[in-house]
Amino acid sequence: MEQKVVRTKRTKTAEQALQSLMRECARSERSSGDALRLMKRWGVVDEDAAKVLARLQAERFIDDSRYAEAFVRDKLNLSGWGAYKIKTALRAKGVSSEIIDEVVAPMLAETDMEKRLEEMMMRRVRTLKYSSVYDAKTKLIRFAASRGFDMEQAIACAAKICNNLKITNIIEYEDFS
């Protein structure tokens, strides 16, 4: 018979959690939501977790504004995300709406999102397989929406690209009847 390996849940005290989080935050930026999730997983009591988080924030190991700036910069420049996807991801990380609004808006204003979206769509349309211009436009709009771009912006950009589209990637359907 096979024996099951039972893993015991590793718990940490508040002091151990503080030391672990200090090491984690020294390596990479963490949000307050990330820290709270880790402490919950480690079995730290809610009262102690709040104290540990307050200390980490007081000693500037955790700063949600700094985290949000780094997150937005990475997702804009490296991942090519749009505003909606960035804001949603920050909310999921436990960053407050006020911080999101004060950090995201100026960084998006600096970036020409329409030009970025157009470049992404141009790269995408080269590898796209479609049966009609309508099909190509639909696929481009879906692509932009999955990246978190505004729907009106996506529709306008897809229409612009499809108007200039040379019909080269159209799939030819054979009649098998």
Side-chain angles (χ1 to χ4, degrees):
M1 289 179 84
E2 293 180 32
Q3 289 183 339
K4 269 190 170 178
V5 177
V6 178
R7 286 192 171 185
T8 57
K9 188 175 180 183
R10 232 178 96 194
T11 59
K12 292 186 179 189
T13 64
E15 188 59 36
Q16 290 171 330
L18 176 67
Q19 295 303 316
S20 294
L21 283 169
M22 283 180 170
R23 279 192 304 277
E24 284 290 317
C25 293
R27 275 190 233 130
S28 66
E29 287 289 336
R30 300 280 182 203
S31 70
S32 55
D34 291 339
L36 289 173
R37 273 189 292 285
L38 279 171
M39 287 189 280
K40 186 174 186 113
R41 191 176 338 143
W42 293 333
V44 178
V45 181
D46 289 342
E47 295 171 1
D48 291 340
K51 290 177 187 174
V52 168
L53 182 62
R55 182 158 173 209
L56 288 168
Q57 289 173 332
E59 295 181 16
R60 307 244 328 134
F61 278 99
I62 292 180
D63 183 355
D64 282 343
S65 295
R66 190 177 62 216
Y67 175 80
E69 286 176 12
F71 187 87
V72 171
R73 198 175 318 106
D74 285 350
K75 296 306 175 185
L76 274 176
N77 297 329
L78 301 177
S79 300
W81 285 10
Y84 182 76
K85 192 167 185 175
I86 290 171
K87 288 178 182 179
T88 304
L90 282 172
R91 267 188 235 110
K93 292 282 192 175
V95 179
S96 71
S97 296
E98 296 81 26
I99 292 174
I100 292 172
D101 291 339
E102 80 180 32
V103 169
V104 174
M107 292 185 96
L108 290 176
E110 293 173 6
T111 308
D112 187 7
M113 296 302 284
E114 283 186 41
K115 183 179 177 187
R116 183 173 296 225
L117 177 61
E118 188 174 343
E119 289 171 358
M120 288 170 49
M121 282 186 166
M122 289 300 289
R123 280 194 307 271
R124 178 76 174 142
V125 80
R126 287 185 206 125
T127 61
L128 202 61
K129 300 215 182 302
Y130 47 89
S131 57
S132 66
V133 174
Y134 175 79
D135 188 30
K137 185 176 178 182
T138 304
K139 288 181 178 185
L140 287 174
I141 292 170
R142 247 187 268 129
F143 170 74
S146 73
R147 290 292 181 101
F149 286 90
D150 185 46
M151 189 57 75
E152 289 81 24
Q153 198 176 31
I155 291 170
C157 192
K160 181 179 175 183
I161 289 172
C162 287
N163 287 340
N164 299 331
L165 196 62
K166 293 178 183 167
I167 312 299
T168 56
N169 294 354
I170 291 184
I171 302 169
E172 295 295 327
Y173 292 104
E174 296 180 17
D175 188 15
F176 292 107
S177 33

